[in-house]
Amino acid sequence: MAALLEVRKLEAFYGPTRVLEGIDFEVAEGGITTILGANGAGKTTTLRALSGLVRRTGEIRLAGQRIDGHSTEKTAALGIAHVPDGRGTLVNMTVEENLRVGAYLRRGKAEVEQDMARMFGYFPRLRERRGQQAGTLSGGEQQMLAISRALMQRPRLLLMDEPSFGLAPLVIREIFEIMRVVNREEGVGILLVEQNVARALEIADHAWLLETGRTVISGTAKQLRDDAQIRRSYLGF
Ligand code: ATP
């Protein structure tokens, strides 16, 4: 399958400190790739670097087009949506306003309305709470809103940082199911950072392991599930 995202020699910096040491990876068109790694390995930083939220060097291509010279806003306009850790909903705005903010780069009012209805179809709880302030939603509802807001951009690639963090198992299952639907039915590629490694390897087709800013293992999700180091360190058996 062709690469939707191609990353070469990606380095990222906080001030003078280099946190990513030249990593290479791809996300296939319509694929789900997961980044595994211990705390502090650089997973969140990888997503931030792709969105242009931290200083970076290296090559990033989206559907063959170089995007590493672009601002965060331009990157979003070209089709990369980021659901950050901590969710990043606009807490003083309502559910509906958050969704409209997600669509701010788009024209086509009728399509935006249709997409909003689609989000409410994915997550009926958001429909019931469309007039509620985002800051008063439960953690699970906030995650649903963060994902929906990102999808309102109509992205080609969704960057997801720890979507299950702090959520109850039933809500996690619901969110992963919608990710699968979005990937299969809308063809949105997903790059997933997830501390629940078993779940991440279940949904992903490819995976790679990051250790202190370097890629140490990469392969299909099955290969990584079967890898002794991954099993011992991340799956606990
Ligand atoms: P976790 O699983 O704990 O979230 P991670 O793999 O996502 O970890 P990052 O958050 O990307 O790791 O952090 C990678 C390294 O960069 C860590 O050593 C961290 O301390 C450092 N770092 C992260 N954010 C900043 C920042 N704003 N300023 C300076 N250093 C930072």
Side-chain angles (χ1 to χ4, degrees):
M1 221 183 247
L4 172 62
L5 183 78
E6 289 173 88
V7 176
R8 298 284 172 262
K9 298 191 174 75
L10 182 67
E11 299 185 341
F13 304 84
Y14 292 109
T17 310
R18 189 173 61 171
V19 169
L20 298 182
E21 306 203 2
I23 56 177
D24 297 347
F25 65 95
E26 295 180 359
V27 178
E29 191 82 54
I32 302 182
T33 295
T34 185
I35 312 173
L36 311 177
N39 292 126
K43 305 179 298 293
T44 292
T45 304
T46 303
L47 300 190
R48 287 190 187 142
L50 295 174
S51 287
L53 293 168
V54 296
R55 189 163 70 82
R56 69 216 168 158
T57 61
E59 295 178 12
I60 305 170
R61 286 186 177 77
L62 185 69
Q65 186 187 354
R66 278 288 284 271
I67 60 163
D68 43 87
H70 294 321
S71 65
T72 299
E73 189 177 36
K74 182 81 196 288
T75 303
L78 288 172
I80 297 187
H82 191 160
V83 183
D85 55 346
R87 287 148 203 160
T89 53
L90 301 162
V91 292
N92 293 320
M93 288 190 181
T94 66
V95 166
E96 194 168 327
E97 286 164 346
N98 267 273
L99 295 178
R100 290 191 192 286
V101 168
Y104 83 108
L105 291 167
R106 295 173 51 190
R107 307 229 156 83
K109 208 164 171 287
E111 278 178 25
V112 169
E113 296 307 314
Q114 275 171 16
D115 281 355
M116 183 128 42
R118 199 158 43 85
M119 297 311 142
F120 291 149
Y122 287 155
F123 299 118
R125 277 196 266 174
L126 294 183
R127 187 198 306 274
E128 292 160 22
R129 291 165 177 76
R130 64 194 293 163
Q132 188 173 327
Q133 281 210 334
T136 65
L137 296 173
S138 74
E141 290 158 0
Q142 290 205 20
Q143 187 60 271
M144 292 173 194
L145 179 58
I147 294 168
S148 301
R149 191 179 73 160
L151 290 173
M152 289 298 288
Q153 266 177 247
R154 276 283 177 120
R156 306 180 70 166
L157 176 67
L158 195 57
L159 310 179
M160 304 202 66
D161 200 346
E162 306 273 15
S164 76
F165 186 77
L167 304 184
L170 271 180
V171 178
I172 296 174
R173 195 179 307 162
E174 188 178 349
I175 285 173
F176 271 65
E177 188 47 42
I178 297 302
M179 277 162 56
R180 215 188 287 271
V181 169
V182 164
N183 171 254
R184 290 213 183 128
E185 293 177 12
E186 299 181 34
V188 176
I190 298 176
L191 182 58
L192 171 69
V193 168
E194 176 55 58
Q195 55 171 217
N196 187 331
V197 172
R199 204 174 273 280
L201 289 176
E202 211 175 275
I203 195 173
D205 40 68
H206 280 83
W208 44 282
L209 175 67
L210 197 60
E211 254 177 30
T212 52
R214 291 174 199 274
T215 315
V216 291
I217 303 176
S218 67
T220 64
K222 180 174 183 330
Q223 283 167 338
L224 269 79
R225 255 197 315 265
D226 294 342
D227 183 281
Q229 184 188 342
I230 301 277
R231 294 179 84 89
R232 224 179 11 253
S233 307
Y234 296 95
L235 296 171
F237 62 94

